[in-house]
Amino acid sequence: MRAKQIKSKYCSFENNNPLEIIADVKDYIRRYECPELTIDLKDLNILEAAKVAVMSSIIHNKKYPDGKLKCKTQSAIIKNVISQTSTRNLEFVL
């Protein structure tokens, strides 16, 4: 995993490639117990952050249906962009 900081329940990433970040999040969820997970998406643009947030939410929800995925973002706009999707486990932190 290419995460620069992995503690229990927190991931931030060195790269800005959304596909690699999604793969890293999927790998992290598979390896570790993390019913509550926070991922740092502040370095991504709005569309990439929304893509990673939605895909990560789906992956996380498969393993932890009652879990919570928090995304640290640079803007509250992302919440509005994906508010139409059914991501019950997704929360945004500024």
Side-chain angles (χ1 to χ4, degrees):
M1 184 176 286
R2 292 179 195 86
K4 62 181 172 184
Q5 180 183 24
I6 298 180
K7 296 179 182 175
S8 113
K9 304 180 186 179
Y10 182 80
C11 295
S12 65
F13 305 93
E14 291 178 354
N15 62 43
N16 289 337
N17 182 336
L19 296 177
E20 289 181 19
I21 292 173
I22 292 168
D24 290 345
V25 169
K26 183 177 182 177
D27 187 49
Y28 184 86
I29 292 169
R30 182 181 55 80
R31 286 185 188 191
Y32 303 104
E33 289 297 315
C34 53
E36 290 188 21
L37 177 65
T38 302
I39 56 176
D40 187 354
L41 304 176
K42 289 188 287 189
D43 294 336
L44 299 177
N45 68 42
I46 293 171
L47 293 177
E48 290 174 341
K51 179 180 182 177
V52 171
V54 170
M55 292 302 297
S56 298
S57 171
I58 292 167
I59 294 165
H60 190 265
N61 192 50
K62 283 174 88 176
K63 186 172 180 181
Y64 303 105
D66 296 325
K68 188 60 73 178
L69 179 67
K70 296 180 183 178
C71 296
K72 285 188 168 189
T73 61
Q74 62 183 348
S75 171
I77 296 172
I78 295 170
K79 184 176 181 178
N80 296 334
V81 169
I82 64 172
S83 65
Q84 301 302 317
T85 63
S86 60
T87 53
R88 299 177 308 217
N89 65 333
L90 192 56
E91 228 178 79
F92 292 94
V93 180
L94 297 177

